[in-house]
Amino acid sequence: VCGGDGTVGWVLGVLEEIRHKLACSEPPVAILPLGTGNDLGRVLNWGAGYSGEDPYSILLSIEEADDVLMDRWTILLDSLEATEDIENGILQPLPPKIVQMSNYFGIGIDAELSLDFHQAREEEPCKFSSRFHNKGVYVKAGLQKISH
């Protein structure tokens, strides 16, 4: 998987959805860390980021790598809200939201900062084209959150 934690998580989620159709239900996945933080790539010893290595040597390292098992959690979030069934006029509960996690989660200022960064990048992706610039934006936003 070429990308950061979000891309890796997306690929793992898709593999989970189609695992019953695969010849190997748990295929090994290698990471070429091209994202902003690359925490998962760093933890699994794929590195903190791509720094221009020869692609052939990367492929060789993938072939020689040991498999490492990784925990993934699936969380089911039930909504307290309901929606009205137009045909019957009956309130129906909203369907649960399913969230998958691979390496960690946050519930404080770190989670708020990550969400703000993610939403800003979704709104204007052209402003987030460089890993170095992205880290600068992340640090600046973090310092602003701490100072308020």
Side-chain angles (χ1 to χ4, degrees), residues 3-127:
D5 294 343
T7 304
V8 174
W10 176 79
V11 169
L12 293 174
V14 169
L15 288 173
E16 181 68 27
E17 288 176 19
I18 64 169
R19 72 186 297 176
H20 62 282
K21 297 178 184 178
L22 301 174
C24 173
S25 65
E26 295 180 0
V29 174
I31 301 170
L32 180 58
L34 298 177
T36 301
N38 300 312
D39 294 326
L40 188 56
R42 190 174 21 261
V43 167
L44 296 175
N45 293 321
W46 288 106
Y50 176 71
S51 55
E53 296 88 352
D54 173 45
Y56 183 72
S57 67
I58 293 171
L59 291 174
L60 286 177
S61 68
I62 291 171
E63 186 176 61
E64 296 169 0
D66 293 326
D67 287 352
V68 176
L69 296 178
M70 186 178 80
D71 290 333
R72 286 189 37 89
W73 301 278
T74 300
I75 299 173
L76 187 69
L77 301 170
D78 283 327
S79 175
L80 297 177
E81 299 177 20
T83 183
E84 187 172 343
D85 183 345
I86 296 173
E87 292 179 17
N88 300 328
I90 301 171
L91 289 179
Q92 299 287 334
L94 291 173
K97 181 177 180 180
I98 298 173
V99 178
Q100 293 180 327
M101 296 186 322
S102 298
N103 42 343
Y104 57 84
F105 73 100
I107 57 173
I109 191 169
D110 60 323
E112 183 181 16
L113 176 60
S114 295
L115 180 60
D116 290 350
F117 180 85
H118 170 75
Q119 289 173 335
R121 188 167 52 180
E122 290 285 311
E123 289 174 11
E124 299 182 83
C126 62
K127 291 186 176 181

